[in-house]
Amino acid sequence: TGTASAPEIEIDQPVGSGLVDGVSTVDYGPVIVGSNWVRIFTIRNSGALTLSGLSLSKTGSDSANFTLGSLSVSSLAAGATTTFSVTFAPGEAVTRNAIVRVASNDFDENPFDIAVTGVGVEPEIAIEQPVGTNLTDGVATVTYGAVNVGGGVTQPFTVRNTGTAALSGLALSKVGTNTADFTLGALSVTTLNPGESTTFDVTFVPQAYGSRSAVLRVASNDADENPFDINLTGTGLATEIVVEQPVGTNVSDGGSKSFGSVLLRGSASLSFTIKNIGNSNLNDLSITKDGANANEFTITASPSAPVAGPSGSTTFTVQFAPTALGSR
């Protein structure tokens, strides 16, 4: 007669689970791409003799996504335990599988095979303007068209999470030449679960005439589109009057022009040129006069309207016919 004795490997994950060689699977669940999740495995020698030759290895097409920690010992006395870690770090948003192998001198469980599995997940930002039209990060341009200076046009934007993990850290900002012309609305949430969406407005209020531009930035935890940049453009419409006398010489608003000395019962005339250097029609032109001697200055040729911008022009003529001596 006799008593059989041998080493006997047992592996738990978590403690007390009692994994089965070649049968059990340890599931890491969803893990965000670019991050990792660590699980600790416990090896126990439940036999009567020393469990020796302990070493770790892995196999499988996705084994690169699973990193094995080190063993602190290579043998365990009867009843002794040790631990090791396995880290899952998915490189893509797909399911990954591998086999962790624990070698030892266990007679019938060498190696002890444990299936490990996990799924990579990642948030994915999508921005639409208008709804249903996806914008491309850094490429897309949203155009507001022509808007009167001081007026305003609002465009709504939709943010969607088309990924498989929470899209978080949502925030709006703007950069560029004419940021003051674009007013950002508020986001109602800063996190979107997969499939969720939210909206915000951007209003264009041109501060000056001509082409205006800025860049809208939407920050998030999207791995490759943070921030998501959208070009914003619009044109400010305005008239801008310039009066010249002679042609090519600007007369300042509130300035003066001299007719020089003119004989009584004589007259002299000056022709003025009105130019519109703005980009919107100059309408409703009229000439009025006031002052102590207004009756001695006559508009003999009136300007025509509208005057198109930015290069249209028209003229008017003023005749001076003094009725008394001295400065008039």
Side-chain angles (χ1 to χ4, degrees):
T1 63
T3 301
S5 60
E8 181 62 36
I9 190 170
E10 290 183 2
I11 302 180
D12 293 342
Q13 206 306 299
V15 173
S17 61
L19 301 179
V20 179
D21 175 29
V23 176
S24 295
T25 298
V26 174
D27 190 350
Y28 283 74
V31 177
I32 293 178
V33 173
S35 64
N36 61 70
W37 189 256
V38 180
R39 292 194 182 276
I40 303 300
F41 293 72
T42 300
I43 302 174
R44 179 179 293 99
N45 179 8
S46 60
L49 297 181
T50 298
L51 182 70
S52 61
L54 289 170
S55 65
L56 304 177
S57 63
K58 58 183 178 177
T59 186
S61 59
D62 303 324
S63 59
N65 293 259
F66 296 88
T67 301
L68 304 180
S70 59
L71 285 167
S72 59
V73 297
S74 60
S75 63
L76 291 173
T81 63
T82 190
T83 61
F84 67 93
S85 64
V86 179
T87 302
F88 174 48
E92 296 180 67
V94 293
T95 299
R96 297 300 195 183
N97 302 288
I99 302 293
V100 174
R101 290 187 158 170
V102 183
S104 71
N105 65 337
D106 183 290
F107 177 74
D108 59 355
E109 295 175 302
N110 180 31
F112 191 111
D113 286 350
I114 308 163
V116 288
T117 186
V119 58
V121 296
E122 60 183 347
E124 182 62 38
I125 191 171
I127 301 181
E128 301 171 0
Q129 206 301 303
V131 174
T133 300
N134 281 333
L135 304 178
T136 302
D137 176 27
V139 176
T141 297
V142 173
T143 301
Y144 284 77
V147 180
N148 288 328
V149 171
V153 171
T154 299
Q155 300 269 30
F157 291 74
T158 300
V159 182
R160 296 187 188 277
N161 179 6
T162 60
T164 50
L167 181 70
S168 60
L170 289 170
L172 305 178
S173 62
K174 54 186 177 175
V175 296
T177 306
N178 307 121
T179 55
D181 294 50
F182 297 88
T183 302
L184 307 183
L187 284 165
S188 60
V189 297
T190 58
T191 299
L192 293 174
N193 291 320
E196 291 183 341
S197 66
T198 189
T199 62
F200 65 92
D201 292 334
V202 179
T203 301
F204 173 49
V205 181
Q207 306 297 300
Y209 75 90
S211 179
R212 317 295 286 175
S213 64
V215 176
L216 165 65
R217 290 191 156 171
V218 183
S220 73
N221 65 334
D222 184 294
D224 59 355
E225 294 176 301
N226 180 31
F228 192 111
D229 286 349
I230 305 164
N231 300 304
L232 306 175
T233 65
T235 301
L237 287 180
T239 57
E240 185 63 30
I241 191 170
V242 170
V243 179
E244 298 177 350
Q245 208 301 305
V247 173
T249 301
N250 285 352
V251 180
S252 60
D253 181 19
S256 63
K257 288 301 296 185
S258 175
F259 284 78
S261 297
V262 179
L263 293 172
L264 287 176
R265 292 181 296 279
S267 67
S269 295
L270 289 178
S271 179
F272 294 78
T273 299
I274 297 174
K275 290 184 177 180
N276 179 11
I277 63 172
N279 58 357
S280 182
N281 285 350
L282 182 63
N283 298 310
D284 303 321
L285 283 174
S286 64
I287 308 296
T288 60
K289 55 182 180 171
D290 59 22
N293 309 117
N295 63 315
E296 299 180 13
F297 295 85
T298 305
I299 311 301
T300 60
S302 297
S304 59
V307 181
S311 57
S313 65
T314 187
T315 61
F316 67 94
T317 301
V318 180
Q319 184 185 73
F320 171 47
T323 59
L325 298 173
S327 177
R328 315 298 287 170

